[in-house]
Structures are given as structure tokens and as C-alpha cells.
Amino acid sequence: MPVSNCGDRGPVDVDPGFLEDPSLFRDELPQPYRRINKILFEDIFEEAWQQISKRECDRIREASRIRPPIYDCATPLLLGDSKVHCLAVSPDSLYVFIGLSDGLAILSALTQNVEAIWKDGGVEIVEAELKALSDNIILIICKDKQGIVRFFAYTRSLLMLLHVFDELNTSAQRAVVKSGISSAADFVGVCILDKTSPELPLHWLEVYKLPKNVWLTEIEEAAVAKQIEEKQRANRKDLVDDAELNLVGSQMSGMNSIVKGSKSQMESQSLLLSRTHSASSQRITSIQKFSTPLMNFKLQYLNKPSTMTWSSVYQASKAAGLDGDVIGIGMNHLISTVHMNNRNAAFRNQHLQYLNCFPKDDELPVLNPLPSFHFLLPRKSSSKNATDGTNAMAVWWSGDRHLMHYSLSKQTKVLNKPEFVWSMSSPIVCGAVTECSCLVALALANNSVVIWDRFLGLSRKTVHVNDCGQISWVHFVSVPSPEKCISTESAVTLLVLLTTGSIYTVISTPHSDPVVTLVSTETLCDCEIPSTIKLIRGIPELILITRKDGRIFLHNIHLKEALCEVALPDCNCFNGCECFSIATVPAALGKMLYVLRTSVRTEDGGEAMYVYSCDDPSLFTVKMWLFPHLDDYIKETRLLPQPQIPCSRVSQNRIEEHILKTMQKRIADQPKRKDRLQKRWLQMKEELSQKLDVKVEKPVRA
């Protein structure tokens, strides 16, 4: 058979009409074997081979991944028969507060010595939040299992109960869901679930003003009285010991008369000491009646705007009111129901061809919205008449698009009118505020992050992070930017966590586009998704990542890799549990790590039940200063705690610096103003000339 020339061949998809080797020719199978062959090879074999190839690629990728070193040096920490429910660290990271099943305990972060303890058999502390009330006094807000909030103060190894919130209400119709305290420790917000509503349970937000200055005086008096009581107790013990020694010496001498005299003298001394002790204890009890917080105002959820039914303009104006309510939330307007229905019908009729292509919005409205809030420091530089503490708060409700600002200088029973409103393009998911309250970051449901400047009242930057997953957590970090092109003086770094497990950093500057950097890639399985992220005080470039499978990693933000893994001892006594809940608290400026491990079992109803075991310890301590990979981060200079500066002074200095830099930037940009205006004018002239040319060239219809 002759072989044709390569140049004479036609296209590849055209049969040339000959074969070089007749043995290569395959007969076409008849039906139904041709159908069977297609199902076996094309449908079953090809799909199976794709799955095999994908698994092999995942296995190769997992095997080639650089695994961080594992440090297995966790030490169990036993606290008697009490069960641990929560952990918290002091603002200076030198003390660890542990919520127990019967009270509250305070440990030294470095030595694990019990500094103070408060016990009550019927109180299970499940949440704790700490703020610095002064340089040497720490304010603790604890919530127990029944939803009752307690205020404690710790100073000089002395733990005092200041106030019990909602102690008289013992019914199950009212409980505290969440609470938050301002950075200056002068205001506290409490979210209360009220079940007395006939339709649905409602969430209320109550804001209380704490008597900070009065508490400082009362705590100091209680501490001094406690020291006096301890001195009197020590002196009384010495006197009793001397009396016992005299009594023994008298018995040995055999002088019965002297023995009787010494007994009477000892009884008189003990009676005098008991009276002194009772008097001192009564004085301390009277001092420990601390002042109570005063409610500033109470907030409730504002319903979504609805249309009005009116027949005349007079009735509409009377119904809307002219009291100057804030504009932005759409509550007061003059839009009738008929007008709104006509507008919606006209819009749908005009854009019907485009609306059919969009997916239907299946998002259900939130029936019981939960409030989230941030306390804000003064926006302007403080003057002689200005207050040094917190003066405003920002509130948003779950599923809402508005961030409402309220002033804390007003004291009313129910406050529903905010000072001003920031409206967003999508529902707000979570938010964060800088330490000086200069910037507010809001994460939206469409994975966009909006950074607002509170001084200007405008949006500083808006950036879209990623299309996969949804933002679940944001936080400002004080990490200097490694990029040389970014000025670290005015740049801010925002840490963003997505539900897919990806972690991003958003570096924003006032006069340039934000830089989005991927820190941790998307995980392959759900068990590797980070559940919590903790910042380490003293080492800002490191973060502590806890995954859903219970593994703990130390991650470097700049290097974008995990430095090491902290391993916990194996647990075999939790029979039948599905997973573990891990709570981590870095303390002692990054030298120590406290880990709380709890088994979680899911019941038939879908609710999570926490199971504790007395045989296997659930609290562990890890000495991170022994890790070789952290030698470059943990230095001797970081071990010395820096003197705490009052929050008001820090806010004032940063606000004045921010205003000064903004004014300097505007003055430096003034010479370029003429060039910018000229450029814009030339651009407008070009656009206008193009429109005129199009209008002239357009043919006139006959």
C-alpha cells in the first residue's frame, strides 16, 4: 500500500481515506455493545480516573508541604476538684483569670501560683472580660451559666466583688446574652434577651455608666482595711502563741496558782482580741458595699422602614413629624404605599430582561436580631471642657446595613434616635476599631471591607477581599508593613479571616490603594479551618491559630508560614465525643500559653453539650520561651512590662497627631491643586467635544 506524502494530507479531523497498517483498523461495534462501551469507558472509567488523579495530586501536595516542627511540652495544671470553664488574661498579660465551676481563680502567668480566689458553690463562670481600671487595679466582668453578670476588682492579691447585675431577677424570662466594656473602663454594654414578649423573644441593649472614680476610692479603702485586718490577725496569733508558751511553762513548774492566773489572763486577752477582730471585720463589710452602676440608656431594634397610608399632604406631614429626626435610616418619610408599588412595578417592567438573569434572593429576614457594639473615644482633641473618657458608641444589628452612632452624654430610659448613621451596601457581618478609635473597619456580607475615618466622617477605603467564603472575623494589628513602598507612619494593617480558612492582611494608607496579602491559604478539609485567632501581646508579628480539629499553630504574618505546632497530650477518657473545643490564652508577653480543652458532643436536637472529666486534665500550660523557633521573638527587653498610659491621654495624643498629619498633607498638596483642576477641565472638554461630534455625525431621519 503506497504511503501518501505529508504535504498532501488534509485537515486532522478529515479521514485521509487510507491506512498504513490494516491491523490498526477496528470494527465498529453493533448496538447494544457500543452503548455499553460508552457507559463503561466514558461515564464510569473517566470519572473514576479523574477522582483517582485528584486524590493523587492532593496526596502529593500534602506530602510535599513543609511541615512545621511539633513541640509536645504541655503540662497539665490541676485546680483541685473544680472544673475550668473559661480563660482570660489581664491587660498586662501577667495574670491569668480562670472561670471555675464554683467561682473565680487568679494565677500568676509565669509561676502558676494562686494569687486570689473567690468561691461560690452555685456560680459557674463561663465568660470573663478584663480591663485596666487603673495602673494596679484590674476590672473583671464575669457571666455565669444562668446569665448573671458580676463585676470584680483585683489589686494587691485581693479579689473584691463590686456589683452583681440583675441579681434580683431569678426568673428564666430575662438573661444576659453578651456584654462588653469600654477601653477606659467607664461604660459597659449588656445585651439582654427578654422572653416576656408575646410574639418573639426580643434583644435589648442596655448601657450603664460605671462609677470609676468612686470605685477607685472604695477599692483603695478596702485594700487598706484588709491590710490592717491581716496585721491585727498576725499580732493576735503571736499573742496567743506567747500565752500558750507561758501556760506550758507554768504547768511544768507545778505552781497551780500561777497557772490559774495565766489562764485568766489568756482568756481576757483572747476576749479583747476577738472584740478587735469583730470590729475590724464589721468595718471591712461596710466598706465593701460598693457603688452601683447607673443605666445611661436602653436601645431596641428599629424596624425596617415601611410605607405610609395617607390621603392628604397635611396628614402625611403630621404622621411623619417635624422634630428633626436623623436622616439615613429611612424611618420618617412621606412615601405612600401606592407610590412605592407603582415604582416597583415600573422598575420591574423596564428591567425585566435583566432581572430574570439574576438569582433570586432567598435570604430570610432576621427575626430576632442581635446587637453588636463598639465604644468610641472622643473624636476631637480634648479641650478644657471635654471629657477624657468614652463619649460615644457604634451599634449595628445582625442582618442590618446601618451603623448607628449614639452619644453617651444623654441619659434616657429608651433611646431610639442615633446621632448619625453610616449606611452600607450590604449587611454588616463584623467590625473592629483601632485602639484610639480613629478608624472603624466593617466587614460586609459581600466580602467587602469598609474602613471609615471618624475624624472626617467619610469612608477611607473600600476593598473586596475574596469571592470564596464569607468574612467571619476582622481585627486591627499593630504590625509594621514589610513593603518598602508603604509608609508605616500612616498605614494600618487589618487581619481578615474567612469561613474557608483563608487569612488575609489588608494594608491601607490614606492616599493609595489598599494592599491585600494572603497570609494563610484555603484549607483542604473542614477540620483544618481556623476556629479562633489570638494576638500575642509583646510579639505583634505572631498570631496563634487554633483549628477545628484541635491543632494549635504559631503563624508569622510577614513570612506567611507556620513556625511551629503546639501538641497536647492524647485524651482517651472522653468516650463518644465527636470533637474538641480548644481555648487558648497567650500570657506573660508571649512566654507562656494556657490551653483549655473541652470535648463537645452533639445531641439529637443539634445543641452542643460540653462534657468535662475529672480523670483527664483539661487545663494545660505550655512554656513557649523554650521553643528554639521563638528565640528571635522573645527577648529580655520584651519581658519588662511597659508603664500603662491612661487611655484618654493615648487617645488625645494619637488624635492630635492624626489631625496634624492630615493638615500637613493637605498643605503639601495645595501647589498641585491647579494642575489637577487643569487636568480635569481638559478631560471634560474632550468628553464634551466627543459628544458634539457624535451628535453632528448622527444621520437625520427622513
Side-chain angles (χ1 to χ4, degrees), residues 30-42:
Q31 291 290 358
Y33 302 103
R34 193 164 59 246
R35 181 64 178 174
I36 296 174
N37 182 63
K38 182 179 179 181
I39 293 174
L40 289 177
F41 286 93
E42 295 183 7

Side-chain angles (χ1 to χ4, degrees), residues 350-497:
Q350 184 177 1
H351 305 284
L352 183 60
Q353 54 181 348
Y354 304 107
L355 293 176
N356 293 332
C357 300
F358 283 91
K360 295 183 179 180
D361 189 7
D362 297 335
E363 182 180 354
L364 298 177
V366 181
L367 299 179
N368 190 9
L370 186 68
S372 301
F373 54 91
H374 291 291
F375 289 98
L376 306 176
L377 296 173
R379 298 175 57 214
K380 300 180 181 179
S381 59
S382 60
S383 59
K384 294 182 179 180
N385 298 327
T387 58
D388 294 334
T390 309
N391 67 342
M393 69 180 304
V395 183
W396 77 88
W397 299 79
S398 56
D400 200 1
R401 302 168 182 257
H402 305 292
L403 180 69
M404 292 165 283
H405 294 255
Y406 296 90
S407 175
L408 298 178
S409 59
K410 300 179 180 179
Q411 293 185 359
T412 58
K413 186 176 180 181
V414 179
L415 181 63
N416 293 327
K417 184 172 67 175
E419 296 293 328
F420 52 93
V421 178
W422 292 347
S423 299
M424 305 297 160
S425 60
S426 183
I428 303 174
V429 178
C430 55
V433 181
T434 56
E435 184 181 357
C436 59
S437 300
C438 300
L439 301 176
V440 179
L442 298 175
L444 307 181
N446 56 3
N447 283 359
S448 297
V449 177
V450 183
I451 301 178
W452 283 77
D453 192 338
R454 292 189 59 241
F455 301 105
L456 303 178
L458 300 174
S459 174
R460 179 175 178 178
K461 294 295 178 182
T462 301
V463 58
H464 184 72
V465 179
N466 197 351
D467 293 331
C468 300
Q470 189 176 10
I471 299 176
S472 60
W473 179 81
V474 292
H475 197 281
F476 283 101
V477 292
S478 57
V479 180
S481 173
E483 303 292 339
K484 297 182 179 180
C485 59
I486 298 178
S487 175
T488 57
E489 296 181 357
S490 58
V492 293
T493 304
L494 186 69
L495 201 62
V496 182
L497 173 64

Side-chain angles (χ1 to χ4, degrees), residues 643-657:
Q644 296 183 0
I645 303 175
C647 190
S648 60
R649 202 187 312 166
V650 173
S651 173
Q652 176 182 350
N653 296 339
R654 295 192 178 183
I655 289 172
E656 292 177 352
E657 292 176 1

Side-chain angles (χ1 to χ4, degrees), residues 134-186:
S134 65
D135 294 340
N136 57 352
I137 300 177
I138 301 174
L139 180 64
I140 310 107
I141 298 182
C142 301
K143 192 186 77 170
D144 62 2
K145 196 173 182 180
Q146 298 178 356
I148 299 177
V149 176
R150 290 174 174 83
F151 296 85
F152 292 90
Y154 173 73
T155 178
R156 304 174 189 174
S157 300
L158 182 62
L159 184 61
M160 292 170 281
L161 179 61
L162 302 179
H163 178 67
V164 179
F165 177 78
D166 208 7
E167 183 181 16
L168 300 178
N169 185 15
T170 58
S171 62
Q173 301 297 328
R174 176 184 170 96
V176 176
V177 179
K178 60 188 292 188
S179 61
I181 189 173
S182 61
S183 58
D186 50 358

Side-chain angles (χ1 to χ4, degrees), residues 13-274:
D13 56 346
V14 178
D15 187 9
F18 66 92
L19 291 173
E20 296 182 1
D21 190 356
S23 62
L24 298 177
F25 182 78
R26 294 182 179 180
D27 296 332
E28 185 177 0
L29 295 175
Q31 291 290 358
Y33 302 103
R34 193 164 59 246
R35 181 64 178 174
I36 296 174
N37 182 63
K38 182 179 179 181
I39 293 174
L40 289 177
F41 286 93
E42 295 183 7
D43 297 343
I44 299 177
F45 180 77
E46 290 295 337
E47 292 183 3
W49 185 256
Q50 290 179 2
Q51 293 292 333
I52 294 173
S53 302
K54 183 179 178 181
R55 293 181 181 181
E56 183 67 16
C57 293
D58 295 342
R59 188 187 63 81
I60 295 174
R61 189 188 305 110
E62 183 70 19
S64 61
R65 181 189 299 180
I66 300 176
R67 299 182 180 276
I70 301 176
Y71 295 109
D72 189 2
C73 57
T75 305
L77 182 61
L78 301 177
L79 296 176
D81 297 335
S82 301
K83 301 174 184 177
V84 181
H85 288 272
C86 66
L87 297 175
V89 66
S90 60
D92 55 0
S93 73
L94 298 181
Y95 299 96
V96 177
F97 293 75
I98 302 177
L100 304 176
S101 58
D102 55 354
L104 180 67
I106 303 176
L107 303 182
S108 176
L110 286 174
T111 62
Q112 289 84 45
N113 294 332
V114 179
E115 300 292 336
I117 190 169
W118 176 85
K119 283 202 171 185
D120 190 346
V123 178
E124 296 184 11
I125 304 297
V126 296
E127 291 183 11
E129 185 178 1
L130 309 175
K131 293 295 179 181
L133 197 61
S134 65
D135 294 340
N136 57 352
I137 300 177
I138 301 174
L139 180 64
I140 310 107
I141 298 182
C142 301
K143 192 186 77 170
D144 62 2
K145 196 173 182 180
Q146 298 178 356
I148 299 177
V149 176
R150 290 174 174 83
F151 296 85
F152 292 90
Y154 173 73
T155 178
R156 304 174 189 174
S157 300
L158 182 62
L159 184 61
M160 292 170 281
L161 179 61
L162 302 179
H163 178 67
V164 179
F165 177 78
D166 208 7
E167 183 181 16
L168 300 178
N169 185 15
T170 58
S171 62
Q173 301 297 328
R174 176 184 170 96
V176 176
V177 179
K178 60 188 292 188
S179 61
I181 189 173
S182 61
S183 58
D186 50 358
F187 285 91
V188 62
V190 180
C191 178
I192 299 176
L193 178 62
D194 188 6
K195 300 180 181 180
T196 58
S197 177
E199 299 178 356
L200 289 174
L202 298 178
H203 283 115
W204 289 83
L205 179 60
E206 296 182 358
V207 181
Y208 291 84
K209 181 176 178 57
L210 303 180
K212 180 178 179 180
N213 299 328
V214 180
W215 274 357
L216 291 176
T217 304
E218 295 174 350
I219 292 171
E220 188 67 25
E221 293 177 355
V224 172
K226 186 66 176 178
Q227 292 179 357
I228 295 175
E229 181 188 3
E230 291 178 354
K231 290 181 180 180
Q232 293 177 353
R233 187 179 302 173
N235 296 333
R236 182 183 61 192
K237 184 177 180 181
D238 295 339
L239 291 175
V240 172
D241 294 341
D242 295 340
E244 290 179 355
L245 291 175
N246 295 332
L247 179 60
V248 172
S250 303
Q251 290 178 354
M252 292 178 64
S253 61
M255 299 173 62
N256 296 330
S257 60
I258 300 177
V259 171
K260 294 180 180 179
S262 62
K263 286 184 178 180
S264 61
Q265 184 180 4
M266 184 179 63
E267 291 176 358
S268 61
Q269 289 179 356
S270 61
L271 180 61
L272 178 62
L273 291 175
S274 62

